[in-house]
Every structure is written in C-alpha cells, then in structure tokens.
Amino acid sequence: MNAQAAFMDTDFTQLLVNTVDSGEDANKRALTNTVLAPRFYTTDFDAMDKIDVSSVRQEWDIMMQEYEGDNNHDHFQRDEGFALEVKSLMEKLDENLKQEFYDFLIGSLTSEFSGCILYNEVRKNIDNPDIKKLMSFMARDESRHAGFLNQSLKDFNFGIDLGELKRTKKYTFFKPKFIFYATYLSEKIGYARYITIFRQLEKHPDKRFHPIFKWFERWCNDEYRHGESFALIMRADPKLLKGINIWWIRFFLLAVYATMYVRDHTRPALHNAMGLKATEYDFAVFRITSEISKQVFPILLDIDHPKFKEGLDQLTALSLKMNETNEKSGLFKHLKKGWLAAQAFVVFTKLYFIPVIKSELPQQVRLSPSW
Ligand SMILES: [Fe+2]
Ligand SMILES: [Fe+2]
C-alpha cells in the first residue's frame, strides 16, 4: 500500500467519541485505527538492509557514540513521590480533562510502542551493521518511553497489554522512503511538542497537573536524536530529497501537521489546563519543526499563508461534525459521513497546493536541540 492509499484507507468516521472508564476501554482505544490515531508499520527489510551511510560517516559515528553513551539510562524511573503526587493532583481534575489526559497517555504510548516494534523488526530482519545497531538503540529508547507511559496508565488501572496490542493491531506497510519521511517528522514533532510543554510548565509550575511532564526535557532529547538518525539516512541518499519525492515530502509534512492540529483541537481541556491555547501551541510546534526540518527537506510548508490556518480550521470543524454524526443513528448516517470525508479530502487537497517555501540544504546535517 502506498502512503496516500494508507491515508485514504483510514476510517475517517471512527473518531474518538467514547470515554475511557476501564482497562478494557483503554486497550480498545489503543487498538483503534483512525486518521488521528497512531499506527503500527512494517516495511521492506531487504531495502533497509541496503542503506549506505558512508557519505555521512563522520556525523553518523558521532551520533552512534551518543547512543552508546546512553545519557538517559537512569531517567525513566519514577521517584518515590510520583504516585502520591498523581493521587493528590488528579483528584482535583474535572472529568473532561481526565478523559483528554487518558487519551493523551494512550495515544503517546501507542506511538512510542509503534516505534519500538518497527525498529525491533528492522533490527531482527537485516544484517547491515550500521542500521542494525541504530535500530537496537532506538528500540531500547522507545521501549523505555512506552514502559514509562504504561506505568502512568497503570496508576488508573488502565495499563495496556503490549503483547496483545502487538499481536492484534493492524500494521500498515510503508516503503522505506515513506518510513523515513513519516518517522523523521514524527520524531522531530514529538521533540517540538514535548519541549514546548516542558518550557511552558517550567514557567508555570502551578499548571503541571501530572508529574510526568517533569520528565519531558530529557525524554525529548531521545526523540530529537532519533530524528537526527533519519535525517542522516536521508541525506546519505540525495535522490530521496529531490524530484517527485519533494511531492511526497510535501504530502507527509501536511499530513503530520494537519493530524496534529485536528487532534489537539479536539482536546481543548488538556491545553487549557497547561495554560496553552491549542492554536498557538500548534503553531509554535510547527515553527520549531519547520526550522529543524531545514536540515533535510528542501521545502517548507508556508504555515503563515492565510489559507493555511483557514484550511486546518475547516478540517477540525469537519472532524467535529464527523464525531457528532457518529453518535447518531439513522438512514442517512453513512451518506453524511461520506459527504464529510469528501469535503475533508477537498480541503486537504487545497492545503496541499498552497505554494511551499524553498530551502537550501546545509552542508552539515546535524543540528543541536536548542529550544
Ligand atoms: Fe520515544
Ligand atoms: Fe523516538
């Protein structure tokens, strides 16, 4: 399946409407495949085996030393006060915010675990020593991240059965180049999201309603480094970054940005609680991600184009209407959902053709995380 087909194959109508009230609900939520929910991927391992990083060897070796140094090996452990703090803070939260927070934890865990599975599968199925080593380091990191999130879900008795999730969740096949574009972006946007939240709560500790946010600063440096790895892999193979592939990069940038925007705007309480406005937060994250992505992508989306925000708001409105339609029953439900999906497709296409900004690739690929 190609990337576009995977996007269109998504059930636009199966959006998140139910509440999480039990471990069973949480596990079901992790299993759902919607346009907004994280997916599991598989790829062409033979092609992965042939990756050649010799043209970026110097930067690659420095990066591998950082992985080996493992400066976060002791980070993902809870201190004694963690569970107590959760208890006293969460008691004060209203149900809406709790539900959005559970959704945030489940979504984050699913995407961390998705990385863990993919990197592990690649590692097991190839011989290429550079890529094998990289994949084992990244799987190590993602498994820590997923485990740490699961501990927080277990505090509410919403622990996810990771073995079961691995066995039963649907996998999407992506060619390696689509894995690179999508995973690079999700690692970098993950960094941008976590660091923006961390900086906000550093300034306003009274708005830190759960202790997990204190872990975000060192955590997001792992994601940043994972993104650097894909940046080097892509820069080592320049054909991935020109010609028709620029249209694919454009597609992935928009798909990732739009998904995040719509999803965040369906969780208003979570952002309000942290003193963030979803729109401002998302644009701050877009700005950081765009700035970082200059290391590898020769184009940037014009996020300041007036039609850009307008289109994202239209997608959000359509997604909310889809949720409402889902809750109803009746003869015209499916027709209505189809009509909404068709409108979403038109808006997405318009967004796709907003002119992009060209950007010159820098000589040195790696960039330090300075946000
Ligand atoms: Fe991670
Ligand atoms: Fe990561």
Side-chain angles (χ1 to χ4, degrees):
M1 184 186 297
N2 69 32
Q4 209 160 17
F7 182 73
M8 293 315 297
D9 166 59
T10 307
D11 185 353
F12 269 92
T13 58
Q14 203 193 357
L15 296 170
L16 305 168
V17 285
N18 307 318
T19 54
V20 174
D21 299 311
S22 66
E24 199 189 331
D25 292 346
N27 278 276
K28 269 195 202 149
R29 175 72 57 87
L31 264 179
T32 45
N33 280 313
T34 68
V35 73
L36 300 179
R39 294 161 164 270
F40 282 6
Y41 297 99
T42 182
T43 190
D44 175 351
F45 301 120
D46 291 339
M48 283 278 186
D49 215 4
K50 294 192 185 93
I51 295 171
D52 177 7
V53 293
S54 49
S55 63
V56 292
R57 175 59 65 195
Q58 213 184 359
E59 290 186 85
W60 182 271
D61 286 346
I62 294 170
M63 178 183 75
M64 293 312 283
Q65 274 167 21
E66 291 170 12
Y67 277 116
E68 245 156 276
D70 195 8
N71 56 1
N72 269 348
H73 70 277
D74 58 348
H75 183 56
F76 295 97
Q77 278 154 25
R78 293 162 45 136
D79 48 28
E80 271 175 24
F82 198 106
L84 282 175
E85 210 181 327
V86 171
K87 219 168 170 286
S88 80
L89 289 171
M90 293 295 288
E91 266 170 11
K92 298 176 205 139
L93 304 186
D94 72 62
E95 189 53 28
N96 237 352
L97 175 54
K98 279 187 192 166
Q99 283 296 331
E100 291 188 19
F101 184 59
Y102 302 149
D103 185 45
F104 170 81
L105 289 176
I106 296 166
S108 304
L109 178 134
T110 314
S111 87
E112 297 283 7
F113 192 52
S114 161
C116 179
I117 294 176
L118 175 70
Y119 302 152
N120 238 328
E121 286 304 305
V122 176
R123 175 188 64 83
K124 281 194 275 180
N125 287 287
I126 62 168
D127 298 312
N128 180 325
D130 290 318
I131 305 303
K132 207 175 175 76
K133 213 167 167 190
L134 169 69
M135 293 295 157
S136 70
F137 285 136
M138 292 198 299
R140 168 199 76 191
D141 296 345
E142 303 300 18
S143 121
R144 280 177 191 156
H145 302 165
F148 194 67
L149 282 158
N150 214 4
Q151 274 183 296
S152 279
L153 280 165
K154 284 175 188 161
D155 288 337
F156 311 115
N157 292 320
F158 296 161
I160 303 293
D161 181 344
L162 297 179
E164 180 67 13
L165 188 62
K166 186 180 174 191
R167 275 189 301 278
T168 47
K169 193 170 164 83
K170 197 175 138 197
Y171 286 75
T172 302
F173 177 87
F174 264 13
K175 277 192 210 176
K177 71 174 177 185
F178 299 139
I179 294 277
F180 302 154
Y181 305 142
T183 314
Y184 169 77
L185 277 170
S186 87
E187 297 285 5
K188 290 302 191 187
I189 215 165
Y191 163 80
R193 289 172 68 75
Y194 278 22
I195 201 66
T196 305
I197 290 175
F198 184 85
R199 296 285 174 237
Q200 166 72 4
L201 299 180
E202 203 177 28
K203 268 190 265 157
H204 305 281
D206 56 307
K207 302 214 181 295
R208 193 191 290 123
F209 64 85
H210 191 281
I212 201 164
F213 299 118
K214 284 189 264 182
W215 267 255
F216 275 20
E217 187 182 30
R218 283 173 63 185
W219 185 330
C220 71
N221 287 319
D222 284 347
E223 312 304 4
Y224 191 91
R225 189 173 297 117
H226 301 166
E228 294 287 280
S229 313
F230 289 106
L232 286 175
I233 288 175
M234 287 188 273
R235 287 291 301 270
D237 187 359
K239 72 172 182 308
L240 296 175
L241 306 172
K242 49 184 180 201
I244 186 93
N245 286 326
I246 291 183
W247 291 94
W248 282 115
I249 290 169
R250 215 165 146 162
F251 171 80
F252 277 96
L253 276 165
L254 182 59
V256 169
Y257 284 15
T259 306
M260 174 182 120
Y261 191 91
V262 173
R263 194 179 169 96
D264 282 349
H265 283 76
T266 56
R267 288 198 290 225
L270 187 73
H271 296 89
N272 283 344
M274 294 190 277
L276 291 164
K277 300 247 179 332
T279 303
E280 281 164 34
Y281 167 68
D282 282 4
F283 273 82
V285 170
F286 292 159
R287 254 173 251 292
I288 295 174
T289 311
S290 292
E291 191 56 37
I292 298 171
S293 74
K294 286 180 189 166
Q295 69 178 176
V296 65
F297 292 153
I299 52 140
L300 310 171
L301 297 187
D302 187 0
I303 57 174
D304 293 314
H305 192 288
K307 295 276 175 205
F308 185 72
K309 182 179 171 297
E310 195 183 298
L312 295 182
D313 287 333
Q314 285 168 349
L315 285 179
T316 308
L318 287 166
S319 167
L320 291 171
K321 276 190 202 158
M322 193 79 84
N323 275 350
E324 283 165 21
T325 313
N326 253 347
E327 284 168 3
K328 289 187 189 131
S329 57
L331 204 57
F332 297 110
K333 182 176 169 175
H334 291 288
L335 265 178
K336 175 119 201 252
K337 289 198 307 194
W339 171 234
L340 291 169
Q343 288 178 73
F345 180 74
V346 170
V347 175
F348 188 89
T349 309
K350 281 189 187 157
L351 279 165
Y352 185 73
F353 287 106
I354 292 175
V356 291
I357 300 164
K358 289 209 171 78
S359 161
E360 190 92 27
L361 293 182
Q363 196 94 52
Q364 185 192 319
V365 181
R366 293 202 62 198
L367 190 73
S368 55
S370 57
W371 286 270

